[in-house]
Structure formats: C-alpha cells, structure tokens
Amino acid sequence: MTYSFLQQYWWLVISLLGAFLVFLLFVQGANSLIFDLGKTPEERRLVINSTGRKWEITFTTLVTFGASFFASFPLFYSTSFGGAYWLWMIILFTFVAQAVSYEFQNKLGNFLGPKTFQICLIVNGVLGPLLLGGAVATFFDGSNFIVNKMNMINSLQPVISRWANASNGLDALLDPWNVIFGIAVFLLARVLGLLYLINNVADETIRTRAHRHLIYNTIAFLVFFLTFLVRTLLKNGFAYQPATGLIFMEPMKYLKNLLTMWPLLLVFLVGVVLLLFGVIRTIFSKTYIKGIWPAGFGVVLAVFVLFLIAGWNNTAFYPSNIDLQSSLTIANSCSSKTTLQAMFYVSLFLPVVFVYIYFAWRAIDKKKINDSDIKKDTAY
C-alpha cells in the first residue's frame, strides 16, 4: 500500500461517514417539526418517541466522523475544530442539549415542563443541520485561516494554524452560499424526517400532516440545493499540483472532477433519482410508507460523491480564502503512513458495525410506534 493510496482511501472513508451522517440527520429534521406534526401532547410524544429510538446512532456517527478526521487528517482537525471552535461548539452544544432533552422532559421533578425540553429538541433540529451544512459548504467556498508549519519550531508559540479573525468560525455564516447550503441540508433533514415518521409512526393523523409538509419542504430543498450545486459546479475551484503542492484556482474545477471521474457522476445521478423516487412515490401514494429507504440510500450516494469531489483529483478540500497556499489537501494534512496503514486494518471492521446497525435497527422497528408505546415507562 502506497502512501498516496492510503490518503485517497481515508478520504473515501471520511466521505462515507459524512454521507451516513447527513442521512441520519432525519432525527433532527423530524424534531424540527414536533409542533407542526403534533397538535396535542400525545401526538408530540409519538414523534419524539419515534426519533428517540435513533438519536444515539446520529450522535455516535457525528463523534465517529470527527474522530476519524482527527486520526487521518489531523491538520484539518486542528485548523477547523481548533480555529473555528465557536461554530463547532454551538453544534456540539445543541446535540448535548438534545440528549438531555430526551432523557429529562418527562422525568418526575422536571420543574421546567416538557415543552421546554421539546423546544430544545427543535433548536437542535434547526441549528444542527443548518450549521453542519454551513461547515461542509466551506469545503467548496473556503475559510479564513492561515497555516504556518514553521511555527512547530517556535518554543514560545508552537501553533501551526490560526484563524485570521476573531470570529473563530462564525464568519462562515456571513457567506451567503454557505448559508444557502446550510438551509438546503436543513430542508433535506426535514424531508428525510418526514419520510421516516411516515414509515415509523402508525398514526394516520400524523401521516396525513407529514404528507402535506413533505411537498413544501421538498420543493424548498430542491430550490436551495440546485442553486448551490449549479453555482459550485460552474465556479472556480481550488486545485493543487501534486509535484509541488502549489495551490491555484481552476475554472469549473468541481464539474471537471465529476466529468474526469465519470463513475462518480453516475453514482451521483443514481442517488438523485433514488431520492426523488422515494419522495414522489410517497407524495402520490397514501399507502406507500417505505420512501425513507430509497430516499435515504440516494442521499448517502449523492453526499458521498460531493465529499469525494471536494478532495479527490488533486483538489484542496479545505481552502483558505486568506492565504491560498495555506489550503489543506489530503496530501499535506494527513497522518503519517504508519498511522494510516494501522488504521486501514482497523477500518476493515466497519462492515461489521454496519451489519450490527442494520439488525439493531430492524429489531427496533419490527413494530411501528403507536399510542400504546407512549404509555410505557420507557417512553420519552
């Protein structure tokens, strides 16, 4: 295994984890609609108990995604998570608030009342996907950081990378294109959340409301996502020369990546078709409740490709808008060959984890959730 192969392989693994994370944001999407779908306390508890069965998987995937980035591309981790820490701290805080809200909203002695914690779930449902989408958009639009590896020999300040302003990552939200993509991810999470609830909650009232909201959110998602996608494919991208590591701007770089690596273009188109199939069939068939599966698989494929074209084919996956040569690539930000090789063998156990998740999910969802479930002591 060459060093180059290991670098490419680990970007593929990161891309796969990122794709699954976006799919699993259906938990946040469904939670953002608690008061829209649940008009009574009982209906709201149905929604919350449905997402409450899966929130740990989303949270675990988020942590695994971050840990994998840290192990395989530590310079990105130290630059983004260290420099843009306000953005990441807000994201993590909302996810922690989500976990607390599930556990304590109906506990004895809750003087704040269930609605307070339900509002916290909604805050996570809105801010989680929105901010994660904005953070991922910086892979294509760039961030404001400076990297100087010579600082490693500075005993007084051995800090390799630093943010170029005092916003510590919040400036990402000042770029309208980052916000547009963040809104697109938020709307996609709502679409997936609605499809999930239609499949998982055996309540006709909630399913009817979910069908109605599915139409509005799908149209809005397509508008925001296609706007960002077309602009990204046509704009100048951040490329680098493999021999020298020199970063430069290349016209329509991301479109060229798709055309050069044409199998990825086919995978992306298949993902889009599957997503639209799951949504459209659910909208036009009141008896079809399995739309979450083709749509979810389609989202994984499409997002997987977006991550890959951000880093493969000599592309800087974390560009710097302040100093172009500080931009991070999979070649200049990765761990040592020994580390990547050791992690390669560990990653071979990932299929076992996916199989475990599949059977655990299947066992949990063997029975659709209904009114009788919220009366149990284990209900949220």
Side-chain angles (χ1 to χ4, degrees):
M1 289 182 290
T2 65
Y3 197 17
S4 177
F5 165 79
L6 290 170
Q7 293 166 350
Q8 305 288 333
Y9 170 79
W10 273 102
W11 186 252
L12 182 144
V13 172
I14 294 297
S15 300
L16 185 61
L17 289 172
F20 271 101
L21 175 60
V22 173
F23 161 63
L24 292 171
L25 288 177
F26 71 79
V27 172
Q28 279 63 42
N31 284 343
S32 71
L33 293 159
I34 289 174
F35 288 103
D36 294 300
L37 300 179
K39 301 302 183 181
T40 66
E42 292 74 20
E43 290 174 347
R44 289 193 286 271
R45 290 193 68 184
L46 279 174
V47 174
I48 293 170
N49 276 270
S50 178
T51 59
R53 296 177 172 186
K54 303 296 188 309
W55 74 267
E56 294 99 331
I57 300 177
T58 306
F59 192 88
T60 302
T61 304
L62 174 63
V63 173
T64 304
F65 177 71
S68 298
F69 242 137
F70 169 72
S72 52
F73 301 98
L75 187 53
F76 165 77
Y77 191 89
S78 64
T79 302
S80 180
F81 289 75
Y85 61 82
W86 276 121
L87 179 62
W88 291 107
M89 285 296 291
I90 294 173
I91 293 173
L92 291 175
F93 176 79
T94 64
F95 275 88
V96 172
Q98 175 205 54
V100 173
S101 299
Y102 274 121
E103 295 300 326
F104 289 99
Q105 60 182 294
N106 288 305
K107 295 291 186 182
L108 293 176
N110 172 20
F111 63 92
L112 295 175
K115 184 171 287 189
T116 301
F117 289 105
Q118 290 169 2
I119 292 174
C120 289
L121 290 177
I122 294 175
V123 171
N124 171 253
V126 174
L127 290 183
L130 180 65
L131 296 181
L132 281 173
V136 171
T138 62
F139 286 11
F140 300 95
D141 296 326
S143 297
N144 299 312
F145 64 89
I146 299 173
V147 174
N148 186 359
K149 293 186 178 181
M150 292 302 295
N151 282 346
M152 292 183 65
I153 62 176
N154 187 339
S155 59
L156 297 178
Q157 194 177 13
V159 179
I160 298 176
S161 55
R162 62 182 177 85
W163 218 249
N165 53 52
S167 70
N168 293 310
L170 293 180
D171 52 341
L173 301 179
L174 298 179
D175 187 330
W177 292 106
N178 292 344
V179 175
I180 286 173
F181 189 69
I183 294 173
V185 173
F186 164 64
L187 292 168
L188 176 61
R190 286 167 73 101
V191 169
L192 293 173
L194 290 165
L195 291 173
Y196 170 75
L197 292 175
I198 290 171
N199 175 259
N200 192 249
V201 177
D203 184 275
E204 288 306 315
T205 301
I206 290 179
R207 282 178 173 172
T208 299
R209 292 173 185 156
H211 273 93
R212 184 172 64 253
H213 282 280
L214 183 60
I215 299 173
Y216 308 143
N217 283 277
T218 299
I219 295 173
F221 161 69
L222 290 174
V223 170
F224 280 92
F225 176 71
L226 291 176
T227 300
F228 179 85
L229 179 65
V230 171
R231 181 259 180 179
T232 299
L233 293 179
L234 297 181
K235 82 180 190 75
N236 293 341
F238 300 84
Y240 72 93
Q241 296 176 350
T244 63
L246 181 68
I247 312 293
F248 62 97
M249 302 303 296
E250 182 176 334
M252 295 187 289
K253 172 61 175 172
Y254 303 107
L255 177 59
K256 291 178 181 178
N257 284 355
L258 276 178
L259 297 178
T260 302
M261 301 179 289
W262 59 266
L264 294 185
L265 177 59
L266 296 180
V267 172
F268 180 78
L269 293 176
V270 169
V272 172
V273 170
L274 286 173
L275 170 60
L276 294 177
F277 170 79
V279 171
I280 293 173
R281 186 173 178 186
T282 301
I283 290 175
F284 286 98
S285 175
K286 299 299 182 182
T287 59
Y288 183 71
I289 64 172
K290 296 182 179 180
I292 182 62
W293 300 119
F297 187 58
V299 167
V300 170
L301 292 180
V303 176
F304 179 56
V305 171
L306 290 179
F307 269 101
L308 288 179
I309 66 172
W312 276 4
N313 196 35
N314 303 325
T315 308
F317 72 86
Y318 199 51
S320 172
N321 292 325
I322 298 298
D323 177 22
L324 195 60
Q325 301 311 314
S326 291
S327 301
L328 303 185
T329 70
I330 61 177
N332 68 14
S333 64
C334 65
S335 296
S336 67
K337 181 180 179 180
T338 302
T339 301
L340 294 181
Q341 195 166 20
M343 290 166 50
F344 170 83
Y345 294 111
V346 175
S347 71
L348 297 180
F349 290 96
L350 279 176
V352 178
V353 176
F354 290 139
V355 170
Y356 167 77
I357 292 175
Y358 168 76
F359 282 106
W361 187 305
R362 186 177 179 182
I364 293 173
D365 280 1
K366 186 173 294 185
K367 177 181 177 296
K368 304 299 180 185
I369 191 169
N370 53 37
D371 293 332
S372 62
D373 291 292
I374 65 174
K375 298 176 183 177
K376 298 178 181 178
D377 293 335
T378 56
Y380 292 110

